[in-house]
Amino acid sequence: MRGIFKIFALLVLWGVVQNGHAVLEIEITEGVESALPIAIATFTGDTYTAPEAMEDIVRSNLRSSGFFEVLEKQHFPQDIDSTSQLHYSLWREAGVESLLTGEIIQTGDNLYRIEFRLFDLVRQKRLSGHAISSVRREDIRKAGHKISDIVFESLTGIRGVFSTQIAYISTSGSAPNKKYELQIADADGHNARTIFSSSKQLMSPAWSPDGTRLAYVSFEGGNSAIYVQDVKEGRRFMVSAQSGINSAPAWSPDGRYLALTLSIDGSADIYLLDTRTRRLKRLTRDSSIDTEACWMPDSKALLFTSDRSNETQVYRVSVRGGKPKRVTFEGAYNAAPDVSPDGRQLAFVHNNGAGFRIAVMDLGSGAMRILTKGHLDEGPSYAPNGKMIVYAASERDGGVLAAVSANGRAKRKLRKAGSDVRAPTWSPFRN
């Protein structure tokens, strides 16, 4: 019983969540010193008007990534429109290496064609030119994310994540009228929408590998249960309501299995649930608390948090079972693991006596680096390109989501006015 009480206390602490429908406001706290200088011109178009211009969407995306230094319009060395002749020497003198220009052309009732060009100002040539057709007015922001992804990949060689989403849990009100919401938003915090709401606690959202479903924990029936919900259609169904603990769902990379924390036999252990047959397979057998499983990209092993060594540490176990092997050794507390998409790095919560902070470790060498400076940072989740990590942080006015680059050099916060923002998980790429 002591172990069950401890895991519930742990889950309640890590399950505190966020609120509201307001945009998550991005605050850049640190950028990359060697950021790429770029200018983004006004997208011309006589027939298109919008509350937010296309170039502002792209500018905000690239700046918030930490990879780019975006030149303000008032510092442009020449006026740019669709017919402008570029004076490359002026741009080089201004220290700008790349330039994005574009036009928005109306092609039908509420339909637009967006054309854009990316120039290399150093080599004095056009890098790429693209067009996005049949864009509805309400999808202009989505098109802006797509353009941002193309520019980001063209200049860095890394796939952009601006078209991905972040899921999180939101809490509003106070007892007895407290409300919990499972929400998703664009990676820049816009277009937030509620997937499910309840008067009972919601916890631990986890994306399916195809980005179409979310698994999460709900206490709506009085006890914890795990549900899977279709993000677009809203259909949901229960996958686990065992006696005791049902917690911490994690999808296998092929989407067939869910790793769960269950206490069917008294202790909290890691189980695999076959989503096709509903059969359970127990992976760990220990009187300690085993929880927070995450999968290796090859689906052959899982990492999880355990206090079996009288310290909270990360362990690895094969999907075939067997004796788990300890992975983390530095410090007395390492928990909540998430593996980078390439399987080389591990992000986790580390406490060396200075507070709970996000750290990363090279799984090959074991070298560890602390990335954040908070006192209660939690729940790290890698972006699908492996270059950023989103996590929850606590501040005086409540919880915020924060993101840090995997090398620790770029940082930003996403906050909601008057809200706690917690339990983030970054969506996979969707083709």
Side-chain angles (χ1 to χ4, degrees), residues 75-215:
H75 300 309
F76 281 17
Q78 72 171 113
D79 293 331
I80 292 291
D81 60 29
S82 60
T83 61
S84 294
Q85 179 70 35
L86 284 180
H87 298 294
Y88 289 100
S89 59
L90 294 177
W91 291 95
R92 289 199 305 275
E93 290 172 4
V96 184
E97 296 180 1
S98 305
L99 170 67
L100 180 70
T101 67
E103 302 105 59
I104 301 179
I105 305 159
Q106 188 164 11
T107 58
D109 186 19
N110 194 37
L111 288 178
Y112 298 87
R113 174 182 171 87
I114 303 172
E115 299 178 356
F116 57 100
R117 292 159 295 281
L118 181 62
F119 294 90
D120 183 328
L121 300 174
V122 176
R123 291 183 287 178
Q124 301 186 28
K125 69 175 186 177
R126 190 170 80 171
L127 285 178
S128 62
H130 299 268
I132 306 175
S133 300
S134 302
V135 178
R136 299 178 301 172
R137 183 185 179 89
E138 56 268 31
D139 292 331
I140 287 293
R141 174 165 288 279
K142 185 183 295 185
H145 295 328
K146 184 174 183 179
I147 293 170
S148 302
D149 286 333
I150 292 171
V151 172
F152 187 90
E153 187 168 5
S154 296
L155 296 177
T156 68
I158 303 165
R159 187 173 179 181
V161 295
F162 306 110
S163 297
T164 60
Q165 296 177 307
I166 294 173
Y168 48 88
I169 304 290
S170 164
T171 310
S172 60
S174 56
N177 299 313
K178 207 165 191 177
K179 184 179 181 181
Y180 298 87
E181 293 178 292
L182 170 61
Q183 297 187 313
I184 60 172
D186 292 352
D188 66 351
H190 285 260
N191 296 328
R193 64 188 179 98
T194 299
I195 301 301
F196 181 73
S197 63
S198 175
S199 61
K200 303 296 183 180
Q201 190 171 19
L202 303 175
M203 298 169 58
S204 305
W207 288 96
S208 64
D210 62 1
T212 64
R213 294 162 291 167
L214 281 165

